[in-house]
Amino acid sequence: MTTRTKLIAGNWKMNGLKADLAEISGMCARLATLKNSPVETLICPPALLVAEAAGLASLSKLQIGGQDCHMQVKGAHTGDVSAAMLKDAGASHVILGHSERRADHGETDAMVCAKAKAAKAAGLTAIICVGETQNERAQGREYAVVGAQLAGSLSQASQAGDTIIAYEPVWAIGTGLTPSLEDVAQMHNFIRNELARAMGEESQGVRILYGGSVKPGNAESLMSVANVDGALVGGASLKCDDFMAIVEALKL
Ligand code: PGA
């Protein structure tokens, strides 16, 4: 059986000024005191803070990532950030296709797929987000929606070393609501099977994160579900104490 190291990833979204880098320094210091932690950690701050955050975290166990990248290597794309720029700034990962980007910027699965290819070419690990809306779940379409997002967003070139999936039911993001553990188990099992169909044996190494209102109080139970290989955490990743409480909940 493949063992997958759990990943606790924080998504700061459009939150954080330079002063908030103190939270990153705090996380690095706290992680240094955790001996033999079985968990990998990552914070994805706003693009403007990536370089400084990566500098602060360079000698620590905390990895730094971006929240999006352009699908092209470079060129006339005002305001955009390329995968190579993130890598150059010290990022190791990039979140792609978050539901907020799909909604705010009309990102399609094909665009996410192109971005995943760009991320891989730049040496970044892509965290590809999928998840159904409340309406889609009410209509019983959650598996069809997530299956289509996966099929459309994964590229032929996607491999375990450069691809992580985050299942984030849109209705659970920022709402304090979470699916039942049974629902999480079923969806993660479904995603694991879809990955196997798409990637074969290679898929065993792909981690599937759960995201949507993960907090210190529910992290341990959510992370104990089969095929939940970590968390993508929004609000509770902004403060060192909250983020570390989630990491420490998995200390075992
Ligand atoms: P939340 O956000 O933890 O604040 O619900 C999760 C996410 O959108 O990645």
Side-chain angles (χ1 to χ4, degrees):
M1 217 187 85
T2 317
T3 42
R4 294 178 292 269
T5 306
K6 283 199 168 38
L7 171 67
I8 305 298
N11 172 12
W12 278 17
K13 311 190 178 186
M14 199 172 71
N15 298 293
L17 299 173
K18 280 199 269 182
D20 298 296
L21 290 166
E23 302 297 329
I24 301 242
S25 300
M27 291 171 194
C28 296
R30 286 268 288 274
L31 284 168
T33 67
L34 278 189
K35 297 278 174 264
N36 306 322
S37 170
V39 181
E40 248 183 65
T41 50
L42 168 74
I43 291 287
C44 300
L48 279 175
L49 296 183
V50 166
E52 205 166 334
L56 288 172
S58 65
L59 296 176
S60 80
K61 292 184 196 147
L62 186 68
Q63 303 170 91
I64 300 295
Q67 299 176 11
D68 173 52
C69 69
H70 198 273
M71 61 188 82
Q72 302 291 339
V73 175
K74 61 178 179 176
H77 302 287
T78 303
D80 277 311
V81 171
S82 74
M85 289 171 187
L86 287 174
K87 179 78 180 173
D88 191 45
S92 53
H93 296 66
V94 61
I95 299 169
L96 295 177
H98 189 282
S99 61
E100 286 150 17
R101 291 206 59 86
R102 290 178 187 262
D104 295 353
H105 299 274
E107 284 193 8
T108 61
D109 295 330
M111 288 161 77
V112 175
C113 180
K115 289 176 179 214
K117 282 186 197 155
K120 182 184 170 89
L124 295 175
T125 298
I127 301 178
I128 296 175
C129 302
V130 296
E132 81 286 355
T133 62
Q134 191 147 40
N135 209 4
E136 288 161 345
R137 181 166 276 261
Q139 293 168 356
R141 293 174 50 224
E142 63 271 32
Y143 294 102
V145 167
V146 169
Q149 286 175 332
L150 272 178
S153 306
L154 281 169
S155 92
Q156 296 283 357
S158 299
Q159 288 178 306
D162 53 52
T163 308
I164 294 170
I165 305 298
Y167 168 59
E168 300 203 303
V170 178
W171 51 273
I173 295 176
T175 58
L177 302 172
T178 51
S180 68
L181 296 183
E182 182 60 28
D183 283 344
V184 173
Q186 280 181 17
M187 183 57 86
H188 280 242
N189 183 48
F190 169 78
I191 293 172
R192 173 99 13 245
N193 289 337
E194 291 298 294
L195 289 173
R197 282 206 310 158
M199 298 167 74
E201 190 63 17
E202 178 76 21
S203 65
Q204 283 302 312
V206 177
R207 287 176 284 186
I208 308 171
L209 313 182
Y210 167 78
S213 297
V214 176
K215 308 282 177 216
N218 62 17
E220 195 177 3
S221 56
L222 282 165
M223 296 304 106
S224 66
V225 173
N227 283 308
V228 174
D229 305 309
L232 184 53
V233 186
S237 72
L238 294 170
K239 294 285 171 216
C240 171
D241 284 346
D242 293 339
F243 184 73
M244 288 308 301
I246 292 172
V247 172
E248 285 162 6
L250 308 190
K251 214 169 128 200
L252 307 176

